[in-house]
């Protein structure tokens, strides 16, 4: 057996990907072990886990690839901050302190787990890692074209780079466009995230949800004064502070114009509408510029098979805007486009170095990455109430009656979105149950929507779908516009802007395929699917996590290892 390891660390959601003989076998996040959401620490526990599970050693590891060039990243940002050393002294101080805890020390940290020969340690470019993450899902398309791809990568910053466009013909990857720090679409959006009182790197999806409630009344002003695109993205830095102050992204000028916000933002807060209008304006500007960037790339190359990656690609509404462009023939966004998923791209880069080919169909689930053996579920924590032959009957009965069920079954999903194996589910037809799940159990903000799960055969009945992007619906890659029938029968899963982030179920998920087919006969054609975790915590990773989360949320039922249990 020969192995290739990809590692992402030191920024957000540290993670590890493992390739065995040309096949992606594992994708793990360090937060699953530490239980600290979004942890950026070196993924020691992930590495120790795969080391033990696969008996990894210096002989059977062909390559270990870090997801960026740490010296390039550090030097570019430090050079920029040193251009105005007094004005940016806080950033300078942060940069020099980071030397001892960032990618520059990667080899040292790695040696504590694997004593690899330096010739087996490689560094990918940050945006190349993102690009190769998207390529790993190419073969999910119905009309897979292995020749020409246009890959767009947009994020906050990595290697000092903020936006890249790559042209890929066969295995030849050529960068044709580059934006550098501080001109960053990602930092533009994280600034409004910070301004509205949400945590950067975690609250951007809240801004997207909030934007649906507003009107983009500031859009023209923002495009005229704050950000523009004319063959390159350009920020007016008078409006930003992230280049000077690590504690605040927006400047006094920004604050004076948009006004101080209520940091405990809820739908009942006095400035909710104003905050929604601001969020809507920044969301619309983001989409507007991404459309310009995409059209520029298509015009430049003549390629209209689009792949999108980087942190910005988590914005499923923006991804839908691009996917629906007439000029786009095919569209793919990976299930984990952010920095954690870049570990997969780094491993993909390593696979090319060693095996001279790229992975193009990475799995959505990992069939055997339980931390504890299945048989170890404790009778002191859970009691089995079904046997294999009648589990399905139990579950159908509970769902129709409005019960909420936690699912911890088979391997974990790739990426941050629960796709059924680490999910909390209920019927989407019962609005009061859906509302209870969102506000009282998950304790999510009321302006955040929940995702519907639907059979592939039924999706066009309720949503507007195009074949050029429908493969992304397996992993909720983008939002869909809802039809009138959806508003009539399943309004609880439709956002205020008329969209839903839909997960489509096909034969690849036999449990849900079976359940939804039988629920359909009972008048319930959709399930609500949300991640199995409490607010502010990572998705569950073992049965102890299951019990703790269920205890906090006061949920009774757990589907585990093909059986139904109740919490003791």
């Amino acid at each position: 057996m020969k192995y290739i390891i990809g590692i992402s660390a030191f920024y957000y959601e540290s993670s590890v990907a493992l390739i065995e003989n040309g096949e992606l076998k594992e994708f793990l996040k360090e937060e699953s072990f530490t239980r600290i959401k979004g942890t950026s620490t070196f993924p020691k526990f992930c590495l120790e886990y795969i080391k033990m599970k696969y008996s990894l050693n210096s002989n059977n590891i062909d390559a270990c690839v870090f997801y960026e060039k740490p010296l390039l990243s550090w030097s570019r940002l430090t050079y920029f901050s040193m251009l105005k050393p007094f004005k940016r002294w806080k950033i300078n101080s942060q940069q020099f302190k980071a030397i001892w805890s960032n990618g520059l020390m990667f080899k040292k940290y790695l040696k504590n787990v694997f004593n690899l020969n330096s010739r087996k340690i490689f560094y990918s470019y940050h945006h190349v890692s993102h690009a190769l993450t998207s390529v790993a899902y190419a073969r999910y398309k119905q009309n897979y074209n292995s020749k020409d791809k246009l890959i767009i990568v947009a994020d906050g910053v990595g290697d000092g780079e903020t936006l890249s466009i790559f042209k890929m013909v066969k295995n030849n990857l050529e960068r044709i466009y580059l934006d550098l720090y501080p001109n960053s679409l990602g930092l533009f959006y994280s600034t409004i995230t910070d301004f509205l009182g949400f945590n950067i790197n975690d609250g951007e999806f809240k801004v997207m949800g909030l934007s649906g409630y507003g009107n983009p009344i500031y859009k023209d002003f923002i495009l005229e004064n704050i950000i523009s695109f004319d063959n390159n993205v350009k920020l007016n830095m008078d409006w930003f502070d992230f280049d000077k102050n690590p504690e605040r992204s927006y400047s006094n000028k920004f604050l004076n114009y948009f006004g101080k916000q209520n940091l405990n933002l809820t739908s009942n807060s006095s400035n909710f509408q104003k905050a929604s209008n601001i969020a809507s304006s920044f969301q619309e500007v983001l989409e507007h510029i991404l459309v310009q960037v995409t059209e520029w790339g298509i015009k430049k190359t003549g390629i209209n098979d689009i792949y999108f990656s980087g942190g910005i690609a988590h914005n499923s509404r923006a991804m839908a805007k691009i996917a629906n462009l007439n000029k786009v023939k095919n569209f793919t966004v990976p299930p984990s486009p952010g920095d954690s998923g870049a570990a997969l791209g780094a491993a993909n880069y390593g696979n090319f170095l060693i095996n001279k080919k790229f992975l193009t169909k990475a799995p959505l689930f990992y069939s055997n990455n339980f931390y504890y053996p299945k048989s170890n579920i404790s009778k002191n924590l859970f009691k089995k109430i079904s046997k294999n032959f009648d589990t399905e009957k139990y579950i159908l009965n509970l769902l129709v009656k409005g019960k909420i069920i936690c699912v911890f079954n088979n391997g974990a999903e790739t990426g941050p979105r629960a796709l059924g194996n680490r999910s909390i589910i209920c019927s989407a037809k019962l609005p009061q149950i859906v509302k209870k799940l969102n506000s009282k159990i998950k304790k999510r903000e009321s302006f955040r929507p929940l995702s519907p799960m639907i059979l592939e055969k039924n999706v066009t009945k309720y949503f507007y779908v195009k074949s050029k992007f429908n493969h992304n619906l397996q992993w909720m890659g983008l939002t869909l516009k809802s039809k009138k029938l959806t508003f009539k029968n399943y309004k609880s899963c439709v956002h205020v802007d008329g969209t839903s982030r839909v997960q489509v179920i096909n034969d690849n998920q036999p449990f849900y395929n079976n359940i939804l087919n039988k629920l359909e006969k009972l008048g319930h054609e959709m399930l609500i699917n949300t991640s199995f975790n409490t607010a502010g915590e990572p998705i569950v990773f073992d049965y102890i996590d299951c019990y703790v989360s269920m205890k906090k949320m006061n949920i009774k039922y757990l589907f585990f290892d093909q059986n139904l249990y109740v919490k003791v």
Side-chain angles (χ1 to χ4, degrees), residues 64 82 140 142 179 224 261 363-364 388-389 469:
C64 183
M82 288 296 290
Y140 282 85
Q142 290 180 345
D179 280 331
E224 290 168 6
Q261 295 302 296
L364 293 180
N388 284 331
F389 68 89
F469 58 66

Side-chain angles (χ1 to χ4, degrees), residues 284-304:
E284 287 277 340
V285 168
L286 176 72
E287 293 174 17
H288 176 83
I289 291 181
L290 287 176
V291 167
Q292 288 182 299
V293 168
T294 304
E295 290 178 339
W296 182 95
I298 293 172
K299 184 177 180 180
K300 178 79 172 177
T301 64
I303 300 172
N304 53 15

Side-chain angles (χ1 to χ4, degrees), residues 515-534:
I515 288 288
L516 282 165
N517 268 302
K518 292 185 177 179
L519 278 173
E520 183 179 3
K521 296 175 183 177
L522 302 172
H524 298 249
E525 291 179 272
M526 292 188 217
L527 291 172
I528 288 295
N529 170 24
T530 188
S531 57
F532 189 175
N533 63 321
T534 53

Side-chain angles (χ1 to χ4, degrees), residues 392-407:
E392 198 175 272
K393 181 180 177 181
Y394 264 94
I395 290 173
L396 288 168
N397 187 47
L398 290 172
L399 290 170
V400 170
K401 288 183 176 180
K403 300 300 181 182
I404 295 169
I405 301 173
C406 293
V407 180

Side-chain angles (χ1 to χ4, degrees), residues 495-552:
H495 194 37
V496 67
D497 62 1
T499 65
S500 298
R501 195 181 71 191
V502 180
Q503 182 190 2
V504 167
I505 297 297
N506 54 32
D507 294 340
N508 292 331
Q509 290 181 264
F511 169 72
Y512 286 104
N513 194 47
N514 214 15
I515 288 288
L516 282 165
N517 268 302
K518 292 185 177 179
L519 278 173
E520 183 179 3
K521 296 175 183 177
L522 302 172
H524 298 249
E525 291 179 272
M526 292 188 217
L527 291 172
I528 288 295
N529 170 24
T530 188
S531 57
F532 189 175
N533 63 321
T534 53
E537 292 187 353
I539 292 176
V540 296
F541 188 60
D542 58 41
Y543 75 88
I544 302 296
D545 298 339
C546 292
Y547 182 81
V548 172
S549 289
M550 291 173 69
K551 192 78 173 175
K552 288 180 179 178

Side-chain angles (χ1 to χ4, degrees), residues 391-541:
T391 297
E392 198 175 272
K393 181 180 177 181
Y394 264 94
I395 290 173
L396 288 168
N397 187 47
L398 290 172
L399 290 170
V400 170
K401 288 183 176 180
K403 300 300 181 182
I404 295 169
I405 301 173
C406 293
V407 180
F408 183 84
N409 202 51
N410 299 321
E413 294 89 337
T414 300
R417 293 164 184 155
L419 303 176
N421 286 5
R422 302 290 183 272
S423 292
I424 303 173
I425 60 172
C426 69
S427 172
K429 197 170 187 178
L430 307 172
Q432 291 306 313
I433 298 303
V434 177
K435 185 177 179 181
K436 177 184 177 183
L437 174 59
N438 200 27
S439 60
K440 293 185 178 180
I441 294 178
K442 289 280 288 187
K443 293 182 170 59
R444 291 154 46 105
E445 292 86 352
S446 59
F447 53 80
R448 290 173 57 193
L450 287 168
S451 299
M453 180 187 281
I454 188 170
L455 288 171
E456 189 171 31
K457 68 176 184 178
N458 290 332
V459 65
T460 55
K461 179 179 177 181
Y462 289 98
F463 302 98
Y464 294 99
V465 185
K466 295 179 181 177
S467 60
K468 64 180 179 178
F469 58 66
N470 60 5
H471 55 287
N472 299 277
L473 302 178
Q474 295 176 61
W475 52 82
M476 304 183 196
L478 39 80
T479 57
L480 298 178
K481 288 185 178 180
S482 304
K483 293 184 176 180
K484 288 183 179 180
L485 188 62
T486 319
F487 284 93
K488 181 181 178 181
N489 295 338
Y490 295 95
K491 191 175 180 180
S492 61
C493 68
V494 181
H495 194 37
V496 67
D497 62 1
T499 65
S500 298
R501 195 181 71 191
V502 180
Q503 182 190 2
V504 167
I505 297 297
N506 54 32
D507 294 340
N508 292 331
Q509 290 181 264
F511 169 72
Y512 286 104
N513 194 47
N514 214 15
I515 288 288
L516 282 165
N517 268 302
K518 292 185 177 179
L519 278 173
E520 183 179 3
K521 296 175 183 177
L522 302 172
H524 298 249
E525 291 179 272
M526 292 188 217
L527 291 172
I528 288 295
N529 170 24
T530 188
S531 57
F532 189 175
N533 63 321
T534 53
E537 292 187 353
I539 292 176
V540 296
F541 188 60

Side-chain angles (χ1 to χ4, degrees), residues 11-61:
Y11 182 65
Y12 185 69
E13 288 190 336
S14 297
S15 58
V16 169
L18 180 71
I19 292 175
E20 177 188 68
N21 292 337
E23 180 183 353
L24 192 67
K25 301 295 289 187
E26 295 282 354
F27 177 80
L28 296 161
K29 292 184 182 179
E30 190 71 356
E31 66 175 20
S32 298
F33 298 90
T34 65
R35 306 311 299 163
I36 301 171
K37 189 174 182 180
T39 184
S40 61
T41 56
F42 182 77
K44 177 183 177 183
F45 292 109
C46 292
L47 292 171
E48 291 285 2
Y49 173 77
I50 62 171
K51 180 181 181 180
M52 175 185 67
K53 180 175 176 180
Y54 294 90
S55 301
L56 300 181
N57 56 61
S58 57
N59 294 321
N60 61 13
I61 297 174

